[in-house]
Amino acid sequence: MDWSVTPLSSHTGAEVRGIDLTRSIDADARARLNRAFVEHSVLVIRDQELSPPQMLDAVRLFGDVFEQHNTKFSLPDFPLVHYISNKDFFPDGRRYIPGEGYHTDHSNAVQPPKATVLHAIELPDVGGDTQFVNMHRAYETLPDATRARIDGLKAVHVYQSRHSARKLMDLTPTRREQVPDGVVHPIVRTHPESGRKSIYINPIRIDAIVDMEEPEALTLLDELLAHATQLSHEYRHKWQRGDLVIWDNRCLLHKANGDYDMDQTRYLYRLMLRGDAPV
Ligand code: SIN
């Protein structure tokens, strides 16, 4: 297969064209894909048409599958594959838009997923973009004094932070007992493959900073988030049907947008890949 990798911005995202993930991918192509993933942090692999088992096979090119936390969203026949949809509702009748508000996935895990993968099955005519911000750039553009202040700090990650503006869908009682809570990770982490440092925060899941009073911790986290989410750190993905997008949770925050006509359907398959404990 003759395929190309083209950057989508100066810092984040690359488009992959000409590859068919239903076909066998040789070792050289696999290595090139994995290098491109680490270099660009988001790969947009166009024009795929994958069934859930085909998607499982395809994402294994990048690593081992991570079991996602809320089993409510798993596909009955392929429970490792979840879905993202705008057609679910909270018990009180409010619509649930998964992924609104900047976050990194499942950071309450001891070894959070290195990557998340979405495959677009049905999309609204307009809107529903996913925004990504590059946390390497965010770290590298901090003032020296802030970098010195946050190097060595650790945060406590839980399933649902008391401070989060966004509410998650509840877990089943059994799953609640299995899903980790109160896991401590550094606020500055080093990417295990590139060696670059990034800010590792998560407004949905960080409940506290270790050894810091709450008001000071919340102010610091707000400042870091405001710095990180500047437009100059962003790649905004406009979905096309058939896109398979894989992103690096170790060095990005992302958020979904519920800004489209809710009579239309936005439906994507979702998988995650296992990662290391952040250091
Ligand atoms: C997510 O946060 O995993 C979902 C992102 C999206 O639906 O755009």
Side-chain angles (χ1 to χ4, degrees), residues 72 89-94 169-170:
K72 174 178 169 46
F89 295 85
F90 285 108
D92 67 6
R94 279 177 305 126
M169 196 72 97
D170 282 343

Side-chain angles (χ1 to χ4, degrees), residues 158-174:
V158 296
Y159 178 70
Q160 165 82 72
S161 166
R162 291 169 295 147
H163 313 297
S164 171
R166 174 182 150 217
K167 297 300 166 214
L168 298 171
M169 196 72 97
D170 282 343
L171 299 165
T172 60
T174 317

Side-chain angles (χ1 to χ4, degrees), residues 50-69 73-75 78-84 105-106 113-119 244-247 249 254 268-274:
L50 304 178
S51 64
Q54 285 173 326
M55 182 176 171
L56 271 166
D57 282 348
V59 305
R60 287 189 173 114
L61 291 167
F62 295 92
D64 298 324
V65 174
F66 174 100
E67 200 181 329
Q68 301 178 60
H69 286 166
F73 302 107
S74 64
L75 302 186
F78 302 97
L80 285 174
V81 184
H82 284 213
Y83 70 84
I84 293 281
D105 285 330
H106 288 38
K114 73 170 185 177
T116 301
V117 191
L118 295 183
H119 181 32
L244 182 122
V245 174
I246 175 167
W247 69 82
N249 284 310
H254 65 277
L268 306 95
Y269 295 144
R270 182 189 203 220
L271 274 167
M272 289 182 186
L273 295 178
R274 285 198 207 143

Side-chain angles (χ1 to χ4, degrees), residues 12 22 63 73 77 126 133 169 184 214 220 255 266:
T12 306
T22 63
F73 302 107
D77 291 340
V126 180
V133 285
M169 196 72 97
V184 173
E214 190 165 288
L220 174 60
K255 77 169 184 160
R266 183 177 186 273

Side-chain angles (χ1 to χ4, degrees), residues 21 65 84 86 88 95 135 143 178 200 228:
L21 293 175
V65 174
I84 293 281
N86 63 328
D88 284 314
R95 190 184 297 272
M135 302 302 274
Q178 296 165 341
Y200 191 62

